[in-house]
Amino acid sequence: MDRSDQTCGFSTMCEWESPDYEPTLPVSEKSNPLTRNIDRASADCIVRTLQACDAQMFQEQTEASHQKLLSDQVVKTLMEVAKRVEIILKDPQDSLVVLSGCGTSGRLAFLMATSFNRELRKLNRSLVYSYIIAGGDRALLSSQEAPEDDPRSGVLSLKKVCEGKKQVLFIGISCGLSAPFVAGQLDFCLQHPEVYTPVVVGFNPAHQAKDEPIPGCTFTFHSVVQRMQELSKSQVAFLINPTVGPEAISGSSRMKGGSATKILLDVVLSAAHAAACTNTPVTYEGILQHMRAYDKTLDITYAKTEGMTALVEAAGRSLRCGSRVCYLGWGSLAVLGLIDASECDPTFGADYEDVRGFMSGGYRNLSNNEGPLTSLGPQFCISHEDFLRSVLPYLSDQDTILLIFTRSDDVTEVAKLARRVREKTSNLHAVYHHTDGDTAAAEQGDISNLCLSTLNVTWPTPASRSFLLMQWELSTKLLLNAVSTGAHILKGKVYRNHMIDVQVTNSKLYRRATRLLQKLSAHPESKCEEALLRAIYRVDKLTQDITSSDMTAHTLTARKRTKVVPLALVVLLTGCALSEAESHLEQQPIVREAVEAWLS
Ligand code: S6P
């Protein structure tokens, strides 16, 4: 494929904000004009395009635009929520702050709840944070998209963690303001205001919250948000919903949605900690400054475009030839590796072996609610020992291995592992975060000598150690999102800027897939849904049984299938039988190429 630099002109920065731009879609589902041809871009251009998309997070609000991260109303709400957390930190008896979400939102809820509890433990204070992820802890490491549709299990899990509590600040995260699991929890909070104060975090204007009926419920996400908006006037509920622009890969909220979630909640919880633990009051200026510092985090990270490009190229080469990419991480940066790897399955239809994360100390250091999950299968083996035992013996130069560590980690241990990997493959790379005042350990030089590329990210000496760690985490998230997204683009898993091989495993993804087929084939919705069902059930003619089943049945069946959307698209565009489409895709797995070859 001729991969060019053609997508790198960024003149259309705000086209997506025009009311005429994809008017029926919420911001979080729109396609980003910057990335229209990202599927044909070179690795370098992919990285620079992702940088431009991420920069949209910090755009200023204009008169015509929706509120943004730095908007006055957003900063004020962050202050109010931080003060609520401060109250709980000062009087933790019978109180709790719960962070909850599905998929990436739940994984970030986990990361932040455990990180801030760790801070409290260091100070000998009571731990006040709990996390909930739809589908339970297995969803931290693997794709569990179906529980997102289940508001009842959302409520049950909330009741369970809050048993006996008298005061709960509930923070429900749903980037698209769409997950029924979270809607159920917010509705429950609204019904029990004597205990619960609900906060919703998402990245659409309130009127764009999902209004699709939820089976068995009288509310929709939209109606819950409306009630919360009313109650926010008297500060008994809070909405944090700036827009951050459409995702680089349409609907892939693991990217900007996840980053913005982390920025907002890191800022809120840090401000609350400073207020409760060091008597530094929560102020408007303080919050604003902290948010702006994250803008710098983006600059510092993307100043490494060349190094990022080398990583995207290496990972893309590995995936293209059916080999793998492994992240070997230390501390919380390893968790970001685990998270990034787990998202490749639902986003790109990847196998869990394609991109895998491993963490030093494994479950001993993960601090998840349910403890070790290794008995669930090889996908849940996450320690470096697991890597040495089950992956290292099979490595070759075609596999890409990435070490992720900081100056605070045991560099001798990193060097030891690097040497072991180097015996099997020369395709070893490193991402190393340190501050400008650090003197490099001798082993650091050894590690660089062992690696094909080392991305040294140098940070200014910070005001606080915990803020430095949060910056490293966000930076690592951006880097790894770029590596896994870029590598899958190079593998042909993206069509224009859409996840063409997305898993159709919940209502959001089912609707997104139907819409995508409509957009790419220009056929009416009914015909597209029919093609989608044919690809899900692998039949050329739909039976009465299939057409009378509900969406839950369809998404359950889709779990067992691969290449559902690509198949449906080929069928729609060419009119061929499913079996023909299947063999065509086998010969040409890059869907855009497959379709174009057929049509020409
Ligand atoms: C998105 C990711 C998904 C979402 C999940 C929750 O890139 O693959 O797992 O995080 O669907 O979405 P939301 O909009 O409720 O945060």
Side-chain angles (χ1 to χ4, degrees), residues 259-394:
S259 302
T261 300
K262 179 158 166 51
I263 292 170
L264 290 167
L265 294 180
D266 275 352
V267 168
V268 166
L269 302 183
S270 308
H273 278 232
C277 307
T278 61
N279 283 327
T280 315
V282 176
T283 62
Y284 186 94
E285 244 341 280
I287 298 267
L288 196 60
Q289 257 183 27
H290 195 170
M291 300 272 281
R292 291 222 164 99
Y294 277 113
D295 196 3
K296 293 257 162 7
T297 309
L298 264 63
D299 292 344
I300 293 174
T301 307
Y302 280 108
K304 298 286 166 187
T305 308
E306 221 175 286
M308 287 171 80
T309 302
L311 291 179
V312 169
E313 269 167 357
R317 266 194 305 272
S318 295
L319 293 189
R320 268 205 308 265
C321 67
S323 298
R324 56 178 121 208
V325 177
C326 292
Y327 306 141
L328 301 178
W330 279 260
S332 59
L333 303 196
V335 178
L336 289 150
L338 294 171
I339 293 179
D340 186 85
S342 71
E343 292 158 346
C344 294
D345 164 15
T347 312
F348 305 109
D351 188 85
Y352 84 87
E353 298 218 69
D354 293 351
V355 182
R356 279 187 80 173
F358 295 92
M359 175 174 191
S360 167
Y363 290 100
R364 256 186 296 125
N365 292 340
L366 194 66
S367 312
N368 57 316
N369 288 339
E370 297 168 31
L373 303 172
T374 33
S375 61
L376 295 176
Q379 186 174 2
F380 297 89
C381 296
I382 56 163
S383 69
H384 288 176
E385 288 73 25
D386 293 322
F387 166 80
L388 291 173
R389 200 192 55 249
S390 64
V391 179
L392 186 81
Y394 310 102

Side-chain angles (χ1 to χ4, degrees), residues 28-29 101-107 143-145 148 173-179 182 201 221 251-255 261 343 346-347 499 506 508-509 512:
S28 63
E29 290 286 326
C102 313
T104 304
S105 299
R107 295 177 194 122
S143 159
Q144 305 290 329
E145 306 294 323
E148 180 169 331
I173 311 159
S174 178
C175 297
L177 297 180
S178 59
V182 176
V201 177
F221 210 114
S252 183
S253 57
R254 77 189 194 106
M255 303 184 80
T261 300
E343 292 158 346
T347 312
M499 312 179 233
N506 65 32
K508 173 175 82 176
L509 299 172
R512 189 185 290 160

Side-chain angles (χ1 to χ4, degrees), residues 5 15 29 65 87 130 161 216 232 365 427 505 510 523 543 547:
D5 280 355
E15 185 186 335
E29 290 286 326
S65 73
I87 294 172
S130 277
V161 298
S232 67
N365 292 340
N427 199 356
T505 40
Y510 186 92
H523 282 298
T543 62
T547 48

